[in-house]
Amino acid sequence: MTAQRRVVAEVLAGEHVHLTAEAIHAAAQARLPEVSLATVYNTLNELVAMGEVLQVCAGDGPKRYDPNVTDAHQHLVCVRCGDLRDVVPSGQDGLHLAVNQRYGYRILNVDVVFRGVCAACEPA
Amino acid sequence: MTAQRRVVAEVLAGEHVHLTAEAIHAAAQARLPEVSLATVYNTLNELVAMGEVLQVCAGDGPKRYDPNVTDAHQHLVCVRCGDLRDVVPSGQDGLHLAVNQRYGYRILNVDVVFRGVCAACEPA
DNA sequence: CCTAGATTTAGAACCACTCTAAAGTCAAGC
DNA sequence: GCTTGACTTTAGAGTGGTTCTAAATCTAGG
């Protein structure tokens, strides 16, 4: 655990945070100016591999990093501005693939992305 | 409707096709050698905007284009080789966002991506 | 035909991300 | 306190996928 990694982890602390790598880099540099973008990516990839952080790819734009790995949740994204929220949909436990729909795959996980237009982006 | 656009549309015809832009370009060139990659992207983006084709972004790698817009379905993707299948999960109709989970968004659609390892990629 | 507008093209540009090679850091053993 | 060696960090180059640009080409209407 080096100073650089600690700073990246600190930036990611908190609920309902969905920063991009670029934003994490900027926030990390505010605390430790010599942190490089490469280190941010290295650290994020390690955190993801360790299961400490989730990668969220919601369509266009860069990946987001979500530190909430303890509560089962899904995401709601604004297709205009990219705003991203954690949501807990009803019926998410009932979502399954029947055996004849598994094609021999070993299923690892399921991601659900709701897309919409947020109130701020809604044309008046 | 130009010759180039017709060729792109022809390449996409069929069920359970999930080509990348690169693959569509290669297949289109086999029929009409002077089709450029830029035109393939232009045409695909128009088809997506018109709702004739779905864009599927399943994690890493390039976007896939899915001509099946008539049957409600979801996707199953192999995290190793990128193989992509159409699936109809049980319980997909029961998946909804309660009003207090909508944050004022106008919901447009829901995408579900099952991730797993396909039989061919499963370590022996 | 001519012209105006749209379409296509090759290639440059761009963004997000990964790789590379060199320099820096740290801990353990002498 | 020094070496050593393994690991980390860094800046910058490289890469893959997609979009942009500006010039050439096509198309339809007159």
Side-chain angles (χ1 to χ4, degrees):
Chain A
M1 176 61 83
T2 66
Q4 286 85 345
R5 292 181 194 196
R6 190 174 310 108
V7 167
V8 170
E10 280 171 20
V11 168
L12 272 171
E15 297 293 310
H16 305 300
V17 174
H18 301 100
L19 297 169
T20 63
E22 206 71 53
I24 292 165
H25 182 219
Q29 280 194 321
R31 303 186 189 204
L32 187 67
E34 66 272 28
V35 176
S36 75
L37 186 55
T39 295
V40 171
Y41 276 109
N42 286 344
T43 307
L44 286 172
N45 286 340
E46 282 170 31
L47 290 169
V48 170
M50 293 189 311
E52 301 286 329
V53 167
L54 291 175
Q55 239 177 12
V56 183
C57 354
D60 283 347
K63 289 172 188 158
R64 312 294 198 87
Y65 293 87
D66 183 346
N68 179 6
V69 293
T70 53
D71 306 322
H73 67 283
Q74 304 301 339
H75 294 101
L76 168 61
V77 60
C78 176
V79 298
R80 300 272 248 95
C81 69
D83 182 54
L84 184 59
R85 312 250 178 171
D86 287 347
V87 290
V88 179
S90 62
Q92 76 173 331
D93 297 337
L95 197 64
H96 287 295
L97 278 188
V99 172
N100 71 352
Q101 287 283 292
R102 282 186 208 158
Y103 298 101
Y105 279 55
R106 179 164 50 89
I107 309 292
L108 299 171
N109 62 47
V110 190
D111 283 347
V112 180
V113 177
F114 291 82
R115 282 176 225 288
V117 182
C118 76
C121 288
E122 191 67 62
Chain B
M1 176 61 85
T2 66
Q4 287 85 345
R5 292 182 192 195
R6 190 176 307 109
V7 167
V8 171
E10 280 171 21
V11 167
L12 273 171
E15 296 294 310
H16 305 300
V17 174
H18 301 100
L19 296 170
T20 63
E22 205 72 54
I24 292 166
H25 181 220
Q29 280 195 320
R31 302 185 190 204
L32 188 68
E34 67 273 27
V35 175
S36 76
L37 186 55
T39 294
V40 171
Y41 275 109
N42 286 343
T43 307
L44 287 172
N45 286 339
E46 282 171 29
L47 289 170
V48 169
M50 293 188 310
E52 301 286 329
V53 167
L54 292 175
Q55 236 177 15
V56 183
C57 352
D60 284 347
K63 289 172 186 157
R64 312 295 196 87
Y65 293 87
D66 183 346
N68 180 6
V69 293
T70 54
D71 305 322
H73 67 283
Q74 304 300 340
H75 294 102
L76 168 60
V77 61
C78 175
V79 297
R80 300 272 245 97
C81 69
D83 182 54
L84 184 60
R85 314 248 178 173
D86 286 347
V87 291
V88 179
S90 62
Q92 75 172 333
D93 296 336
L95 197 63
H96 287 296
L97 278 189
V99 172
N100 71 354
Q101 288 282 291
R102 282 185 205 157
Y103 298 101
Y105 279 56
R106 179 165 49 90
I107 309 292
L108 299 171
N109 62 47
V110 191
D111 283 348
V112 181
V113 177
F114 291 82
R115 283 175 224 288
V117 182
C118 76
C121 288
E122 191 66 63

